[in-house]
Amino acid sequence: MKFQVNYADRFNNMEPSAIREILKLANGSDIISFAGGLPAPEVFPKGKISWVSAKVLEEYGQSALQYSNTEGLTALRKQIIGRMETKMGVSGLTLDNIAMVSGSQQGLDFVGKIFCNKGDVVFVEKPTYLAAINTFHSYEARIVEIEMDEDGIIIEDLKKKLAIYPEAKFLYTIPDFQNPTGISMPLYRKIQLMDAVRGTSLMIIEDSPYTELRYEGSRTPTLLSLDDEGRVIYLGTFSKILAPGFRLGWMIADKEIISRVIIAKQAADLQPNTLTQYIASEFLDVTDIEEHIKEIIKVYGHRRDVMLKCLEKYMPKEVSWTHPNGGLFLWITFPTNVDSQELLKECIKHKVAFVPGEPFYANEIEKNHCRVNFSFVDDKRLEEGVRNMALAFKEYLAKTS
Amino acid sequence: MKFQVNYADRFNNMEPSAIREILKLANGSDIISFAGGLPAPEVFPKGKISWVSAKVLEEYGQSALQYSNTEGLTALRKQIIGRMETKMGVSGLTLDNIAMVSGSQQGLDFVGKIFCNKGDVVFVEKPTYLAAINTFHSYEARIVEIEMDEDGIIIEDLKKKLAIYPEAKFLYTIPDFQNPTGISMPLYRKIQLMDAVRGTSLMIIEDSPYTELRYEGSRTPTLLSLDDEGRVIYLGTFSKILAPGFRLGWMIADKEIISRVIIAKQAADLQPNTLTQYIASEFLDVTDIEEHIKEIIKVYGHRRDVMLKCLEKYMPKEVSWTHPNGGLFLWITFPTNVDSQELLKECIKHKVAFVPGEPFYANEIEKNHCRVNFSFVDDKRLEEGVRNMALAFKEYLAKTS
């Protein structure tokens, strides 16, 4: 007899996404994939990590393999605070303001767990990072989308939604080189945002995985550095500047919030990975990560240029796209009658893949967009991929018109 | 102006535990601590892990540092299935039945997340692993304790509670060398347990971190191997047989449950640590982990013997304790008028620490017990620690009588 399982309500109706199933088709090595959010493995500092790891195991092996504290290694947290001060313009942080998490994704999970009762309203950008939507849904939050323009969140729309939902828990935003659009908030917009929420009870979750990967223009201050009330929770990560396989991110917030994060972490998985924390800390100590980041910027910046040039060259004029100054992604907009899921099927026949726009919307789905990654694929295949996408698009149009 | 934070109900009243605060006093290096649940770092195969890591980074560096799949590395999951078959008597497992998690603690978190609506009843042993209590509380489950005797869960009490709470979601049990008591269920009791739940909707969560660390007697089958209905969810871990710093555990269950685990993992932290999965997999491939486990057993088994001998030698006759055949812990019972938190304060003055019994109870707290770890401290300090505990106990008695 097969046992009948009774799931929690939050899990009863969760099904693997249709898009995941389509994208499994794109896993073949003959497919040029713009679908992932993957760093280019050829820029991983493999050799340096190798000797740094050997050094760590030799010098601190017994500690590096053992349990360690829930909030993360003290040395590593100090190093991150140091970089937050020099690179992100943040000041006055102490060790009580930072906790290590297993990638910034875990930070999002804790945000949901710590703040969301069933039915609580949370604001996200429209569109936004799809796994954030899933995570907030897993805590049965009610997601409300805020409109964006080419400078990010539209302040008037935020104010309008705040008037309707004054009890909203937080706004989740990726201010720099947003996933999926590549859009960034300029300083004026960041200041407008902080002004708009002053006096309200809205927290701001600033997800900042791409901030250091800027290829053009100059850095704008983080929302965290503009916050004098303790309403910003900042999420950082080593995934895009060192190695995603380390699963190391960090949360920075008011110390009372961090104390709740530590309780959540203890219940969730006790502590971050000890060994990869030691390796990351030693890497920061004995190598020059700023030099390494410069190399990443050189490679990805070039690929962005190639991608933009190829889109210009191959795409018909009714297609438009964003021009990100950094990060990993750009966002293509097709005419409104295009269904990008159907287009993806056509593209896979032409050996190229992307992520359709649909899953990046929490409520009001727009079907005529797609997210394209430019960090993973090298120049030559970038051009081939864009050319094939354009070809597939023309064939899709011919079929549907 | 300081921002006013509104936490979710589940987090509103969570405070750092009083015992954690006391145990912070026990962190000094001059304290002999029986409080942790730590493996002895001197048995970590530091040298082997060092060259295995170098090999991994050399041969698979680009993959080992990259994102990888949510359910865990295929090679590693195959190796674990192989060991589950040869060491744990389980058969018929496929890759759909196993997902890697960040330590078995994360498995507990997913059990809570997947199964528990607010107010759902879950059964635990009395006493049980304290972090399991915290995790189930974090999903607002209602915890009901099942009485134990020297062979584990008392079947009559389980049946009684099942009659009162027929809709209870699961029983959480650590059948082998339980944390905190060191008690194991013999085969007859495991069979009785599986019989008692047949026909009910109660799932069984079998937490098995210590099963391979047996110092006496012969292995009994896992509950998973006695299950023909798909009601057992099994949690395993590398923490006690390889290195807790790797943060690698696994869940084995019916494939539909595992598909929900994968959805939960995706939302929680995307994936397990890529690098430490590669290292663990290579370690299993190129070294003999069975030999390594034999060495651990030799060291810990000896320490258990020393601990038991010293308790016999130093403790007054009104104190009793369990005689575990394996694992890391034993459980001391003082006369019922003893408050082990107060006794701990006395012990810390005598430079020795343990965990008071209180946090291991979900509801009906008993104050006259403590959990003692025998794996972490070497022989000489073991004897000194027990002698000092006995001394502190006598002084505590003199003070309170």
Side-chain angles (χ1 to χ4, degrees):
Chain A
M1 192 194 73
K2 181 67 183 299
F3 180 76
Q4 181 57 46
V5 182
N6 297 313
Y7 295 102
D9 295 341
R10 70 176 77 83
F11 264 78
N12 244 333
N13 299 313
M14 286 189 85
E15 296 292 338
S17 91
I19 287 158
R20 259 184 109 74
E21 296 307 306
I22 302 176
L23 285 174
K24 277 189 184 166
L25 302 173
N27 271 340
S29 61
D30 59 334
I31 300 253
I32 297 172
S33 180
F34 301 142
L38 304 184
E42 62 270 28
V43 303
F44 291 148
K46 211 181 85 166
K48 281 181 190 163
I49 289 174
S50 188
W51 65 258
V52 165
S53 303
K55 190 163 179 289
V56 159
L57 284 162
E58 177 64 26
E59 291 176 18
Y60 322 104
Q62 294 197 343
S63 308
L65 299 171
Q66 186 60 286
Y67 285 110
S68 64
N69 58 351
T70 303
E71 60 272 31
L73 291 188
T74 303
L76 181 59
R77 287 182 299 138
K78 278 186 187 160
Q79 289 164 314
I80 292 169
I81 288 176
R83 290 196 80 245
M84 291 297 297
E85 288 176 345
T86 53
K87 314 292 285 189
M88 301 288 175
V90 185
S91 61
L93 296 179
T94 71
L95 284 169
D96 291 337
N97 296 120
I98 179 171
M100 299 302 299
V101 285
S102 300
S104 45
Q105 181 67 34
Q106 190 176 50
L108 291 179
D109 187 55
F110 292 161
V111 164
K113 194 166 192 172
I114 293 172
F115 297 110
C116 293
N117 290 318
K118 184 173 177 170
D120 277 355
V121 171
V122 306
F123 294 160
V124 303
E125 292 162 335
K126 178 188 172 192
T128 191
Y129 173 46
L130 64 91
I133 296 175
N134 291 341
T135 300
F136 301 151
H137 272 156
S138 80
Y139 290 99
E140 301 176 274
R142 179 171 166 202
I143 299 179
V144 171
E145 296 173 314
I146 312 291
E147 302 286 341
M148 296 173 74
D149 62 19
E150 67 281 7
D151 287 342
I153 283 169
I154 297 176
I155 303 301
E156 283 315 306
D157 195 52
L158 175 64
K159 285 182 177 167
K160 198 176 97 188
K161 303 281 164 63
L162 255 175
I164 303 173
Y165 307 104
E167 76 302 345
K169 279 288 168 81
F170 56 77
L171 164 68
Y172 169 68
T173 174
I174 309 161
D176 303 320
F177 325 123
Q178 197 231 20
N179 181 356
T181 64
I183 287 172
S184 297
M185 281 193 228
L187 175 57
Y188 88 90
R189 185 64 63 89
K190 288 183 175 179
I191 292 172
Q192 282 182 326
L193 170 61
M194 296 309 289
D195 276 352
V197 298
R198 190 170 287 276
T200 74
S201 63
L202 193 74
M203 308 213 60
I204 292 181
I205 316 301
E206 178 176 32
D207 195 0
S208 181
Y210 317 112
T211 302
E212 300 207 50
L213 304 183
R214 176 179 283 277
Y215 319 130
E216 200 178 318
S218 55
R219 189 166 288 173
T220 56
T222 55
L223 297 175
L224 180 67
S225 71
L226 299 174
D227 173 32
D228 55 11
E229 302 171 289
R231 74 167 72 233
V232 173
I233 299 179
Y234 176 95
L235 302 174
T237 179
F238 283 118
S239 291
K240 309 303 186 292
I241 58 172
L242 189 51
F246 281 5
R247 309 310 303 132
L248 290 179
W250 55 92
M251 287 179 89
I252 293 180
D254 182 78
K255 67 180 186 178
E256 274 183 48
I257 294 172
I258 293 298
S259 75
R260 300 303 201 290
V261 167
I262 293 168
I263 293 171
K265 178 87 183 156
Q266 185 104 29
D269 59 3
L270 294 182
Q271 59 152 100
N273 193 290
T274 321
L275 181 59
T276 59
Q277 282 188 95
Y278 266 90
I279 296 172
S281 177
E282 191 72 7
F283 189 94
L284 290 176
D285 207 30
V286 301
T287 81
D288 186 349
I289 194 169
E290 315 309 337
E291 276 308 310
H292 174 60
I293 294 171
K294 275 184 205 156
E295 279 171 43
I296 300 175
I297 287 173
K298 214 166 100 185
V299 173
Y300 294 1
H302 175 67
R303 288 180 183 180
R304 179 205 62 160
D305 295 343
V306 172
M307 172 69 84
L308 287 171
K309 211 176 293 171
C310 293
L311 285 167
E312 202 64 56
K313 183 169 167 189
Y314 294 107
M315 279 292 171
K317 66 175 186 331
E318 62 267 38
V319 181
S320 64
W321 51 89
T322 55
H323 291 65
N325 289 332
L328 308 185
F329 306 110
L330 55 78
W331 185 244
I332 299 182
T333 298
F334 302 101
T336 50
N337 60 337
V338 171
D339 179 340
S340 63
Q341 285 208 45
E342 293 304 313
L343 175 59
L344 173 59
K345 289 179 191 165
E346 203 64 43
C347 281
I348 286 173
K349 287 184 204 157
H350 287 81
K351 306 290 180 201
V352 60
F354 55 74
V355 184
E358 210 169 311
F360 300 100
Y361 293 91
N363 303 318
E364 298 170 23
I365 289 165
E366 296 178 11
K367 287 176 177 286
N368 60 317
H369 307 276
C370 74
R371 188 192 76 177
V372 165
N373 166 277
F374 53 75
S375 64
F376 186 67
V377 173
D378 66 30
D379 296 22
K380 203 170 138 272
R381 282 167 67 85
L382 260 175
E383 172 146 16
E384 192 185 332
V386 175
R387 196 176 55 220
N388 290 354
M389 260 185 83
L391 198 66
F393 174 61
K394 285 166 201 160
E395 291 185 15
Y396 167 88
L397 278 191
K399 266 192 195 169
T400 52
S401 62
Chain B
M1 190 194 76
K2 181 68 183 299
F3 181 75
Q4 180 58 45
V5 182
N6 297 312
Y7 296 101
D9 294 342
R10 69 176 78 81
F11 264 78
N12 243 333
N13 299 313
M14 287 188 83
E15 296 293 339
S17 92
I19 286 159
R20 259 183 109 74
E21 296 307 306
I22 302 175
L23 285 174
K24 276 186 185 167
L25 301 174
N27 271 340
S29 61
D30 58 334
I31 300 253
I32 297 173
S33 179
F34 301 141
L38 304 182
E42 63 270 27
V43 304
F44 292 147
K46 210 181 87 165
K48 281 180 189 164
I49 289 174
S50 188
W51 64 258
V52 164
S53 302
K55 190 163 181 286
V56 158
L57 285 162
E58 176 65 26
E59 291 177 18
Y60 322 104
Q62 294 197 342
S63 308
L65 298 170
Q66 185 60 285
Y67 286 110
S68 64
N69 57 353
T70 305
E71 60 271 32
L73 291 188
T74 303
L76 181 59
R77 286 182 299 139
K78 279 186 186 160
Q79 289 165 315
I80 292 170
I81 288 176
R83 291 196 80 246
M84 290 297 297
E85 288 176 346
T86 53
K87 313 291 285 188
M88 300 288 176
V90 185
S91 61
L93 296 179
T94 72
L95 285 170
D96 291 336
N97 296 119
I98 178 170
M100 298 304 297
V101 285
S102 301
S104 44
Q105 181 69 31
Q106 190 176 49
L108 291 180
D109 186 55
F110 292 162
V111 164
K113 194 165 192 173
I114 293 171
F115 297 110
C116 293
N117 290 318
K118 185 173 176 167
D120 277 356
V121 170
V122 306
F123 294 160
V124 303
E125 291 161 336
K126 178 188 172 190
T128 191
Y129 173 47
L130 65 92
I133 296 174
N134 291 341
T135 299
F136 302 150
H137 272 157
S138 81
Y139 291 98
E140 299 176 273
R142 180 171 166 203
I143 299 179
V144 171
E145 296 174 313
I146 312 290
E147 301 285 342
M148 295 173 74
D149 62 18
E150 68 281 7
D151 286 343
I153 283 169
I154 298 176
I155 304 301
E156 283 316 305
D157 195 52
L158 175 64
K159 285 181 177 167
K160 198 176 96 186
K161 304 280 164 67
L162 255 176
I164 303 173
Y165 307 104
E167 76 302 343
K169 279 288 168 81
F170 57 76
L171 164 69
Y172 168 68
T173 174
I174 308 161
D176 304 319
F177 324 124
Q178 198 231 18
N179 181 356
T181 62
I183 287 172
S184 298
M185 283 193 227
L187 176 57
Y188 87 91
R189 185 62 66 89
K190 289 183 175 178
I191 293 172
Q192 281 182 327
L193 169 61
M194 297 308 289
D195 278 351
V197 297
R198 189 170 288 277
T200 73
S201 64
L202 192 75
M203 307 213 60
I204 292 181
I205 315 302
E206 178 176 31
D207 195 0
S208 182
Y210 316 112
T211 303
E212 300 206 49
L213 304 184
R214 177 180 282 280
Y215 319 130
E216 199 178 320
S218 54
R219 189 166 288 173
T220 56
T222 56
L223 297 174
L224 180 66
S225 70
L226 299 174
D227 173 32
D228 54 11
E229 302 172 290
R231 76 166 70 233
V232 172
I233 298 179
Y234 176 96
L235 302 174
T237 179
F238 283 118
S239 292
K240 309 303 185 292
I241 58 173
L242 188 51
F246 281 4
R247 307 312 301 135
L248 290 178
W250 55 91
M251 288 179 88
I252 294 180
D254 181 78
K255 67 180 185 178
E256 275 183 48
I257 294 172
I258 293 298
S259 75
R260 299 305 200 288
V261 167
I262 293 168
I263 293 171
K265 178 86 182 156
Q266 186 105 31
D269 60 2
L270 294 183
Q271 59 152 100
N273 193 289
T274 320
L275 180 60
T276 58
Q277 282 188 94
Y278 266 90
I279 295 173
S281 177
E282 191 73 8
F283 189 93
L284 290 177
D285 207 30
V286 301
T287 81
D288 186 349
I289 195 169
E290 314 309 336
E291 275 309 308
H292 174 59
I293 294 171
K294 274 183 205 156
E295 279 171 44
I296 299 175
I297 286 172
K298 213 166 100 186
V299 174
Y300 294 1
H302 174 67
R303 288 180 183 180
R304 178 205 62 159
D305 295 343
V306 172
M307 172 69 85
L308 288 172
K309 210 176 295 172
C310 292
L311 285 167
E312 202 64 56
K313 183 168 165 190
Y314 295 108
M315 280 291 170
K317 65 176 185 329
E318 62 268 39
V319 180
S320 64
W321 51 87
T322 56
H323 290 66
N325 289 332
L328 308 186
F329 306 110
L330 56 77
W331 185 244
I332 298 182
T333 298
F334 301 101
T336 49
N337 61 337
V338 171
D339 179 340
S340 62
Q341 285 207 46
E342 293 304 314
L343 175 59
L344 173 60
K345 290 178 192 164
E346 203 63 43
C347 281
I348 286 173
K349 287 185 206 158
H350 287 82
K351 306 292 180 198
V352 60
F354 55 76
V355 183
E358 207 167 314
F360 300 101
Y361 293 90
N363 303 317
E364 297 171 24
I365 290 165
E366 294 178 12
K367 288 176 176 285
N368 60 318
H369 307 276
C370 74
R371 188 191 76 176
V372 165
N373 167 276
F374 51 77
S375 64
F376 187 66
V377 173
D378 67 30
D379 296 21
K380 201 168 140 273
R381 282 166 66 85
L382 260 176
E383 171 146 16
E384 192 184 333
V386 175
R387 195 178 53 222
N388 290 355
M389 260 184 84
L391 198 65
F393 174 61
K394 284 167 203 160
E395 292 186 14
Y396 168 87
L397 278 191
K399 267 192 194 169
T400 52
S401 61

